[in-house]
Amino acid sequence: MIQLWEEHKKKIIAVIAIAITAVALFVGGKNLNASALESVIGFVVTPFQDLTTGIGSWVENTASSAQDKTKLLEENAKLKEEVAKLQDENKRLEQYEKENEALSSLLKISQKYPNYKSTGTNIIAKNPGIWYDTFTINKGTSHGVSANMILIAPGGVVGKILESGNNYSKSQSILDSRSAVPAMSLRTGDLGVVKGDYSLMNDGLCKMEYIDGEAQIAVGDEIVTSHLSEVYPEGLSIGKVIKIETDTNGLTKYAVIEPFVDLKHLDTLLVIDKNTMEENP
């Protein structure tokens, strides 16, 4: 045996080395390539791993989407609130602009009558109906306002004050049936009296009565206050003639007048005190 070893020692060592190498390669090959059992397990487990990974991604994406949606809803609510505030501010600015325009118009009117004391006022109440025939203003005796002072708007005559309290005054427009304003045609000088009329008031119109049958007044003429009035200054615009009729007696005419002032939409007015003329010549 010893002799055999000695004779074939090199060969035996070589065979053992080859065997060890083969085993090493076999074991290493197992780690590189899955066995049949490992392949089956991988086939079963892999879809669940993919599903688990997919669910995790979906949950993460859903949570992120929900957060984004909540954020967008909050931003949208804030934007709506800001838009509402801007709209309210715009409405206030529009209102201020309208009030400024009204006051500017009244200032221009007051400058036409520098000899008369005047003050601005606002309407705070009116009688039922769409037209301003009787109404209440927010100025009274404490502001120097009293009965028979006149009220005008940018278009012309509105009416006059009937009675005053401390901080208010009851007023009537030229549409009121009790109203009577001495007037004339600006073109011809023909005289008459502008009065309120029940049958015409619903259309926002009034009537000029007691016009001479021979008068040359015509449709389209401008009607203004005349020099015969003790209340109204002369020359204030009232309206225009839209119709002329002869009275049944054949001796006089009457004219239907369309006021220049929009007596359906009144707000800011100017009070003029005719009695201050002598004090401020």
Side-chain angles (χ1 to χ4, degrees):
M1 185 71 177
I2 295 173
Q3 185 179 357
L4 181 63
W5 167 256
E6 291 295 334
E7 290 179 356
H8 301 287
K9 179 174 63 176
K10 292 182 179 180
K11 291 181 181 180
I12 292 172
I13 292 172
V15 170
I16 292 172
I18 292 171
I20 292 171
T21 302
V23 171
L25 290 173
F26 177 76
V27 174
K30 284 183 67 177
N31 293 333
L32 293 174
N33 299 292
S35 66
L37 179 59
E38 290 173 335
S39 296
V40 171
I41 293 173
F43 177 79
V44 174
V45 171
T46 299
F48 286 100
Q49 292 177 332
D50 292 341
L51 179 60
T52 302
T53 302
I55 291 173
S57 299
W58 178 82
V59 170
E60 182 178 355
N61 292 335
T62 301
S64 177
S65 176
Q67 291 176 351
D68 291 342
K69 185 176 181 180
T70 301
K71 186 177 180 181
L72 287 174
L73 289 174
E74 291 175 352
E75 291 177 353
N76 187 49
K78 289 180 180 179
L79 287 174
K80 286 183 177 180
E81 184 178 350
E82 290 178 4
V83 168
K85 288 180 179 178
L86 289 173
Q87 289 176 337
D88 289 340
E89 183 65 21
N90 188 52
K91 289 179 181 178
R92 282 194 294 269
L93 290 174
E94 288 179 354
Q95 184 63 31
Y96 291 151
E97 184 177 358
K98 289 180 180 179
E99 291 176 358
N100 186 54
E101 290 177 356
L103 291 173
S104 296
S105 298
L106 293 181
L107 178 61
K108 291 179 181 179
I109 296 174
S110 65
Q111 290 173 344
K112 292 173 62 176
Y113 305 97
N115 294 330
Y116 301 128
K117 181 180 178 181
S118 62
T119 183
T121 186
N122 291 318
I123 295 175
I124 56 176
K126 66 182 289 294
N127 275 11
I130 62 174
W131 299 100
Y132 282 81
D133 52 342
T134 57
F135 51 90
T136 303
I137 62 173
N138 66 348
K139 295 290 178 67
T141 54
S142 63
H143 306 91
V145 174
S146 59
N148 287 328
M149 289 186 179
I150 67 168
L151 296 164
I152 58 177
V157 173
V158 172
K160 70 177 183 179
I161 293 173
L162 295 176
E163 59 180 87
S164 292
N166 183 54
N167 57 0
Y168 72 92
S169 295
K170 294 182 179 180
S171 311
Q172 72 175 179
S173 79
I174 56 177
L175 294 184
D176 188 75
S177 60
R178 297 168 295 173
S179 174
V181 183
M184 66 180 183
S185 167
L186 185 61
R187 182 180 64 86
T188 66
D190 292 315
L191 298 172
V193 177
V194 172
K195 303 180 69 176
D197 184 274
Y198 280 118
S199 64
L200 296 173
M201 187 179 69
N202 289 334
D203 295 318
L205 305 173
C206 48
K207 181 186 289 188
M208 182 173 172
E209 298 181 336
Y210 314 122
I211 303 172
D212 188 276
E214 301 297 324
Q216 298 301 306
I217 189 172
V219 172
D221 281 359
E222 179 179 353
I223 303 301
V224 299
T225 53
S226 75
H227 59 283
L228 299 179
S229 176
E230 295 181 357
V231 176
Y232 295 88
E234 180 182 357
L236 294 178
S237 295
I238 298 175
K240 66 178 180 179
V241 177
I242 62 172
K243 183 179 180 181
I244 295 178
E245 295 286 345
T246 300
D247 288 318
T248 54
N249 59 24
L251 300 176
T252 56
K253 300 176 181 179
Y254 72 88
V256 177
I257 308 298
E258 179 181 10
F260 286 137
V261 174
D262 181 1
L263 295 170
K264 187 183 288 187
H265 305 97
L266 291 178
D267 184 8
T268 305
L269 304 175
L270 189 71
V271 182
I272 290 183
D273 182 4
K274 182 182 177 182
N275 295 326
T276 60
M277 185 173 182
E278 293 181 357
E279 299 175 9
N280 300 285

